[in-house]
């Protein structure tokens, strides 16, 4: 039986652990393909162009917008972030499942154009946990951390627009739940 791939869209507040969960998931499920986003944000220490993001100038990003090369894009904390369309469309056509790790605005754009996607929200156990994770990660300036925390309460309420919610308290359990969602969706009849 041939089938189209499933699009899994993961969102949640910055610092909740989306990147960590997705990395572990992909190590367990190499047949899921992670879309690499483009951004105008500068790389953090240790981040690589083409692995973590495609780090683009504003002009190059806007050129891609004008050429309709994004499935969705959004301005997050004063920088552009977007999902290149070709990678996602090619894999879905081939029957491969694709994972997007994107912000809420982007996820809602995808939901409008692609309602058959599976939308998963990652919640922190508490705002205090989120703050300590952002601080422990140590990769954002204090101003950038404050900006992220100021929007997190609104973001945490947006889970109602998603199909599933996972509380990332114990990391291993959160990865297990994501894996379970993917496996269950693969068995779905409709
Ligand atoms: P996001 O991609 O959502 O911005 P990250 O994956 O970068 O978040 O995680 C932010 C920080 O929180 C990292 O330092 C990561 O190691 C840590 N972290 C992730 N999950 C957990 C967890 N379940 N418990 C404690 N710390 C966690
Ligand atoms: P960060 O700067 O911490 O890597 O990411 C900031 C926010 O941008 C996170 O919420 C992340 O999920 C989101 N993001 C990353 N890539 C994309 C994308 O392609 N599109 C959208 N809309 N958001 C993205």
């Amino acid at each position: 039986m041939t089938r189209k791939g499933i699009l899994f869209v993961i969102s949640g507040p910055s610092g909740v652990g989306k990147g960590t969960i997705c990395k572990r998931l992909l190590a367990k499920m190499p047949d899921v393909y992670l879309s690499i986003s483009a951004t105008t944000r500068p790389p953090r220490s240790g981040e690589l162009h083409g692995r973590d993001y495609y780090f683009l100038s504003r002009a190059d990003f806007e050129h891609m917008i004008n050429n309709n090369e994004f499935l969705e894009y959004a301005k997050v904390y004063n920088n552009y972030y977007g999902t290149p369309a070709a990678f996602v469309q090619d894999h879905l056509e081939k029957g491969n499942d694709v994972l997007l790790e994107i912000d809420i605005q982007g996820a809602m754009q995808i939901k409008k154009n692609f309602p058959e996607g599976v939308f998963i929200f990652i919640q922190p156990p508490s705002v205090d946990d989120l703050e300590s994770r952002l601080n422990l990660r140590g990769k954002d300036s204090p101003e950038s951390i404050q900006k992220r925390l100021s929007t997190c309460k609104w973001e945490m309420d947006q889970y109602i627009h998603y199909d599933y919610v996972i509380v990332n308290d114990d990391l291993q359990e959160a990865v297990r739940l994501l894996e379970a969602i993917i496996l269950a969706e693969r068995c779905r009849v409709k």
Side-chain angles (χ1 to χ4, degrees):
M1 186 167 61
T2 53
R3 66 160 177 94
K4 271 190 91 178
I6 306 170
L7 183 63
F8 293 95
V9 181
I10 302 214
S11 310
S14 180
V16 71
K18 300 181 296 294
T20 310
I21 293 172
C22 288
K23 211 168 139 197
R24 291 208 182 195
L25 188 277
L26 295 171
K28 288 174 96 176
M29 301 182 91
D31 56 346
V32 174
Y33 292 79
L34 179 71
S35 157
I36 298 168
S37 297
T39 183
T40 57
R41 149 168 100 57
R44 298 189 182 115
S45 66
E47 284 185 331
L48 278 184
H49 178 78
R51 186 192 65 186
D52 300 292
Y53 280 105
Y54 296 109
F55 294 101
L56 302 183
S57 66
R58 188 162 284 251
D60 284 346
F61 197 103
E62 286 171 349
H63 182 73
M64 284 182 72
I65 296 176
N66 293 332
N67 275 355
N68 280 325
E69 290 181 55
F70 288 118
L71 209 54
E72 62 72 35
Y73 69 92
K75 225 176 199 176
V76 190
Y77 315 121
N78 291 329
N79 281 300
Y80 280 126
Y81 291 79
T83 304
F87 176 91
V88 176
Q89 286 161 347
D90 290 352
H91 276 292
L92 293 180
E93 278 303 321
K94 281 188 204 150
N96 295 330
D97 297 337
V98 176
L99 195 60
L100 304 185
E101 189 222 303
I102 63 175
D103 90 314
I104 295 160
Q105 311 166 65
M108 293 305 105
Q109 284 182 55
I110 299 269
K111 200 173 171 184
K112 239 191 261 160
N113 303 325
F114 206 96
E116 65 273 37
V118 178
F119 296 82
I120 304 164
F121 197 84
I122 314 285
Q123 285 285 27
S126 69
V127 176
D128 285 351
D129 282 292
L130 191 65
E131 184 165 7
S132 74
R133 284 180 198 177
L134 282 167
N135 283 315
L136 277 173
R137 181 166 71 182
K139 301 252 166 117
D140 298 292
S141 65
E143 304 82 68
S144 172
I145 288 180
Q146 274 322 307
K147 217 181 268 173
R148 284 158 199 261
L149 285 172
S150 68
T151 53
C152 82
K153 289 216 178 74
W154 174 82
E155 288 178 323
M156 284 167 67
D157 289 340
Q158 303 310 305
Y159 73 91
I160 48 162
H161 302 298
Y162 288 71
D163 300 309
Y164 295 96
V165 62
I166 295 174
V167 178
N168 181 22
D169 191 352
D170 176 72
L171 178 58
Q172 216 177 325
E173 177 65 4
V175 176
R176 199 171 77 89
L177 292 171
L178 179 56
E179 186 180 17
I181 292 167
I182 293 173
L183 293 175
E185 287 292 335
R186 283 178 177 172
C187 300
R188 189 189 276 282
V189 176
K190 281 186 202 159

